[in-house]
Amino acid sequence: MDHLASPADLLEAAESYLLHLHGVLAHLPTAEAAAAEAADPPVYTRVSGALAGSTIGKHVRHILDHFLIILAVERPDQCASYMKRERSTDTESSVGGGQAAIMRVVETIRQKKQQQQHQEQLIQQQGEELLVAADARVFIEDTMPGNDTAAFVSSWARELWFCTHHMIHHNAIIACLMHEFGLQPPAEFAYAPSTLKAKHNTDSK
């Protein structure tokens, strides 16, 4: 282990992956371009033939829903519910809507980073042991097999890292959809940090 991850580290990672996704969306054909080429519907809202009902827009919205839920946690022992997600929003309807939604989440992350940095400075100035919100206990509510609702104990940091890894897996599906629609995703899009590290280590030998 190189070091203990701080809240700022986790927020930085989430921001980096979100901005990468924002850049990938910037290279998708817009609705206007699709109309000009008589391609109907646009790539962003086109339904996959391999994954029934799946669109790039729906995966973007799903990714952001999870981030919004954990970023809304403001105090220890608060309950966060992944069941309470919006659907059929502007986020999944257009590239511009998806990009705007990503940047709203990024702005929330940046505000959280500033708050965390300020808190850490205050604690260090007071000469106290560094205890940060990453350790805050949260309760996660979700639907279990059989449709029962249950809650379990986690931490804010663990759930933020889950949302980042959850995003990476959905990015992989987005990459598959791009291939299906004749587009080429970036080479390192949709890979986990550990996968990229292993690949780079192998390539350097």
Side-chain angles (χ1 to χ4, degrees), residues 99-160:
Q99 288 182 301
I102 289 171
M103 291 313 299
R104 287 194 293 272
V105 176
V106 167
E107 182 57 33
T108 299
I109 287 173
R110 288 171 176 170
Q111 292 172 1
K112 292 277 188 183
K113 282 166 56 178
Q114 290 179 344
Q115 293 169 2
Q116 289 289 341
Q117 290 165 359
H118 179 65
Q119 176 182 324
E120 291 177 13
Q121 288 171 357
L122 288 177
I123 294 173
Q124 289 173 338
Q125 288 169 3
Q126 294 169 3
E128 299 175 8
E129 184 179 356
L130 185 59
L131 297 174
V132 294
D135 299 321
R137 184 175 67 174
V138 296
F139 292 95
I140 302 300
E141 184 183 41
D142 213 338
T143 304
M144 306 299 287
N147 294 324
D148 289 337
T149 300
F152 59 90
V153 177
S154 187
S155 71
W156 179 84
R158 178 66 188 86
E159 292 306 309
L160 180 59

Side-chain angles (χ1 to χ4, degrees), residues 7 10-11 14 67 70-71 155-164:
L10 299 171
L11 290 164
F67 275 112
I70 196 60
L71 289 171
S155 71
W156 179 84
R158 178 66 188 86
E159 292 306 309
L160 180 59
W161 191 236
F162 156 71
C163 287
T164 302

Side-chain angles (χ1 to χ4, degrees), residues 69-89:
I69 288 165
I70 196 60
L71 289 171
V73 171
E74 297 287 349
R75 63 185 185 277
D77 293 336
Q78 185 172 336
C79 185
S81 176
Y82 291 128
M83 299 184 299
K84 299 175 182 177
R85 305 194 307 269
E86 295 184 15
R87 289 172 172 80
S88 301
T89 65

Side-chain angles (χ1 to χ4, degrees), residues 3-57:
H3 69 280
L4 185 64
S6 70
D9 291 333
L10 299 171
L11 290 164
E12 188 72 33
E15 179 182 352
S16 176
Y17 274 96
L18 285 165
L19 289 175
H20 193 186
L21 177 59
H22 184 278
V24 170
L25 297 188
H27 291 90
L28 293 182
T30 62
E32 292 76 15
E37 296 176 5
D40 188 27
V43 166
Y44 191 73
T45 56
R46 190 176 302 169
V47 178
S48 169
L51 297 172
S54 187
T55 71
I56 293 174

Side-chain angles (χ1 to χ4, degrees), residues 4 11 14 38 42 52 60 62 67 92 94-95 105 128 146 161 167 177 194 199:
L4 185 64
L11 290 164
V60 172
H62 182 76
F67 275 112
E92 64 184 54
S94 70
V95 170
V105 176
E128 299 175 8
W161 191 236
M167 174 186 184
L177 295 181
S194 58
K199 182 179 185 301

